[in-house]
Amino acid sequence: MTIDQINGKASGMVIFGWFVGLAYYNWFARTPISVPLWAHVVLIVVGIFASSIIIGGGLSLVAAGVTKAATGKVDGSPHAFSWAAFVGMVVAFFAAGYSLELLGSLSR
C-alpha cells in the first residue's frame, strides 16, 4: 500500500473510533454523559471532520517526521503511517469522551 492509501484508511479508522467513542461514553458507560440533541448533532457532524483532520492529520505529520528521521525520506517506509492509523483510532475514541464531557458541562 502507498502512504496515501494508508492515510485514507487511517481517516476512516479515526472516524470509526470517534463514533464508537461517542456510542460508548453516551450509551454503554456505567455513568453515561447526558447531552442535549443539538450537542449530539454538533458532535456527529463537526466531530467527524475535526477528528479526522486534527487527529488523523496530526498523527500523519508525526509519522512523516519519524519516517524522515529514520529513513531520510518522508515516504521511506509505510510502517509509521500504519501505526499512526491504529493510534489515531484509539485517540479518537478517548477524545469523543472528553468532547461529550465538554459539551455536557456547557449545556448545564
Side-chain angles (χ1 to χ4, degrees):
M1 290 184 97
T2 66
I3 291 173
D4 290 335
Q5 292 171 328
I6 293 171
N7 284 338
K9 298 266 186 206
S11 179
M13 290 172 69
V14 166
I15 291 170
F16 177 75
W18 179 260
F19 280 125
V20 169
L22 287 178
Y24 173 76
Y25 288 111
N26 203 12
W27 298 322
F28 303 121
R30 181 174 293 169
T31 55
I33 302 167
S34 178
V35 295
L37 182 62
W38 67 266
H40 283 288
V41 172
V42 168
L43 285 169
I44 290 169
V45 174
V46 175
I48 17 175
F49 295 110
S51 67
S52 180
I53 293 168
I54 294 170
I55 296 171
L59 287 173
S60 180
L61 289 173
V62 170
V66 168
T67 302
K68 179 153 175 97
T71 65
K73 293 181 1 183
V74 173
D75 59 350
S77 174
H79 300 296
F81 293 95
S82 298
W83 277 104
F86 174 74
V87 170
M89 182 173 56
V90 174
V91 169
F93 176 85
F94 290 112
Y98 290 125
S99 298
L100 273 167
E101 286 181 11
L102 177 68
L103 284 182
S105 68
L106 291 177
S107 64
R108 290 182 189 152

